Amino acid sequence: MNRTIPTGALAGLLWAAAFCFYPEWTLVRWFIGVAGLTLLLSLWSGERAAKSPRAAAAGSFAFGLCAFAAGCYWIYHSVRIVSGGPVALAVALVVLLAAVIGCWYALGGYWAARMQPKRSWMALLVVLPCVLVLTEWLRGWVFTGFPWMSAGYLTAPVFAGRIPTMLAPLGGMYLVGLTTALLAGACLFVWRSAPSPVTRAVGLLLLLGGAAGLGQISLPAQDGPSRGQLHARLVQGGIPQERKWLDEEFLPTLTRYELLSFGQPMAGGPPGPALIVWPEVAVPQTQDFVRDYLDEMDRLLRARRIALALGILTETDAGRFNSLIVLGNGQGTYHKHHLVPFGEFFPVPDAIRDWLLSMNLPASDLVPGPAGQAPIMAGEAVCGVSICYEAAFGSEQRGWAPAAEVLINVSNDGWFGDTVALEQHLDMARVRAMETGRYLLRVTGTGITAAVDPGGRIIDRLPKYEAGFLDVSVARLTGTTPYVRYGEWPVVVLCLLLGIALPVVLCHARRVASE
């Protein structure tokens, strides 16, 4: 027990570090992440783990606690620095989230240590990687899920547009994560089974060097069947979150977005943008409050045959929604479906909810939009929409395809300040483009606004915390990837068979043989 907790803590800190080096040193942070996973699997395997599954669980809990307390430190920034909440509350929220996730890893570690096969190759190359993926899948699904910093979100963006990311459209983020876990298991197998330090070093060099070398082979940037081009302007207002809702900023905010949207011709001359996108809650008021303004904007946009998709809060008898509405030469309204717990709704009794709000928690009371909403239209272009946190969930975003020809993600990451959360969020959104085989237009209030191709490569991006716009022309693609068709279920079922059912069968066979 004494050694497992420090080992788990070190593994967790390495895993956090792998998600904190942006955007430089991408390959270095991938190596660091693989080292962290290898250390974690070392807690789950071997005679020592088999003799004390509780120790493996304790070390795994330390992994989750340290990894997510360090890698998600931006929660503290959001609560304390941006919102001015109490230090104790900000620290408590970071630790509580990390502890909950640590419990998932403790559960996985206990099962892996207790049920690991006797043959080390089978444990490290089959069972344990599958258990790790199941652990990540559970924490990304149960209680609305938190898939942040999953293994697939490390490997897929690092090797965007290269051979390893061919797996994303096949089985999604979890298939990419499974190959990462398999590599970590193979590294541990070589470390333990090599007869000498020289063969150990050579084996690790071949494994990691080969994987990294494979990851340098680029895939051709070739689009699938297309229905033409969509010319779009992505507008980033650059207004800090601390000033966004001030009364004196309301009119200057509208003026800034209008100038960025219409004040300059599209680079390269005609054709002009068919679609302009403003970020999440770009207009800091409810739709009813600015109804006259929106009606006049709609009239002007129709005359110019331009569609404008803008984020705004809408209200009905059902409650208040976080929405994206379309004005001008388009149609549709999307209400955010997957809300952020304790940020957009409170799964706690009213007394606790009121107390949290009194502590300046960066939150608001919203209701979720219905499932199965229709995509929005920009002229003839069909666009699937995600708002902010929804971009982390591939299982939900794949539902837009094959109908949607382009993906749009709008967000307000100003809550996070200039922290690594901005890059982490962008990386998750990039994986959605890979999984669905669609171009992604990502528009944020303060950064990072970017256009992403179906291989996950960033076509162009705007600097953080600067006002500006990005003009892009992207193909309106059709077709269906295997992931869009089947989701992550093939990977989950495979991991259930190899990570849960197989150890049970082998354990039963050993008991029968010993009787």
Side-chain angles (χ1 to χ4, degrees), residues 195-448:
S196 69
V198 174
T199 54
R200 179 184 297 169
V202 170
L204 291 176
L205 183 62
L206 289 174
L207 271 175
L208 294 173
L214 192 67
Q216 302 311 305
I217 302 176
S218 296
L219 297 171
Q222 185 175 2
D223 297 335
S226 171
R227 292 180 178 148
Q229 296 285 311
L230 173 63
H231 306 288
R233 172 167 290 182
L234 317 181
V235 181
Q236 178 174 295
I239 301 168
Q241 186 64 34
E242 300 91 324
R243 299 196 57 80
K244 179 174 180 176
W245 292 92
L246 298 179
D247 291 341
E248 61 267 27
E249 289 290 336
F250 176 65
L251 291 178
T253 294
L254 297 183
T255 301
R256 176 178 294 192
Y257 275 105
E258 290 172 14
L259 289 174
L260 291 171
S261 300
F262 311 111
Q264 299 183 47
M266 192 169 186
L275 170 66
I276 298 172
V277 186
W278 292 3
E280 178 186 15
V281 196
V283 179
Q285 277 291 353
T286 62
Q287 183 178 14
D288 288 341
F289 185 86
V290 291
R291 177 68 65 182
D292 292 342
Y293 171 82
L294 296 178
D295 288 344
E296 178 65 14
M297 182 71 75
D298 181 68
R299 184 185 66 79
L300 294 173
L301 288 164
R302 287 185 182 278
R304 300 175 64 174
R305 299 191 60 79
I306 298 174
L308 170 64
L310 63 89
I312 194 169
L313 297 176
T314 61
E315 287 185 317
T316 68
D317 293 340
R320 178 175 290 189
F321 298 92
N322 185 352
S323 306
L324 187 77
I325 65 174
V326 180
L327 304 177
N329 187 36
Q331 61 181 352
T333 296
Y334 173 75
H335 301 304
K336 185 176 182 181
H337 173 68
H338 196 132
L339 302 180
V340 181
F342 300 101
E344 293 175 315
F345 78 103
F346 295 86
V348 293
D350 289 343
I352 299 177
R353 164 192 166 280
D354 294 341
W355 176 79
L356 288 172
L357 287 174
S358 71
M359 293 293 104
N360 289 329
L361 194 67
S364 56
D365 271 330
L366 301 174
V367 294
Q373 299 178 64
I376 65 171
M377 301 292 297
E380 296 181 352
V382 184
C383 304
V385 178
S386 60
I387 297 180
C388 193
Y389 184 56
E390 292 180 317
F393 298 89
S395 59
E396 298 174 3
Q397 297 311 304
R398 74 183 183 89
W400 290 117
E405 303 160 344
V406 176
L407 297 182
I408 295 174
N409 172 240
V410 296
S411 187
N412 174 27
D413 290 354
W415 290 111
F416 307 140
D418 191 11
T419 67
V420 296
L422 278 63
E423 297 282 359
Q424 291 172 352
H425 206 179
L426 172 62
D427 273 358
M428 290 188 290
R430 291 168 64 188
V431 178
R432 304 290 82 83
M434 302 180 205
E435 291 171 340
T436 57
R438 297 292 191 271
Y439 282 89
L440 169 73
L441 306 178
R442 186 167 194 269
V443 187
T444 70
T446 56
I448 301 168

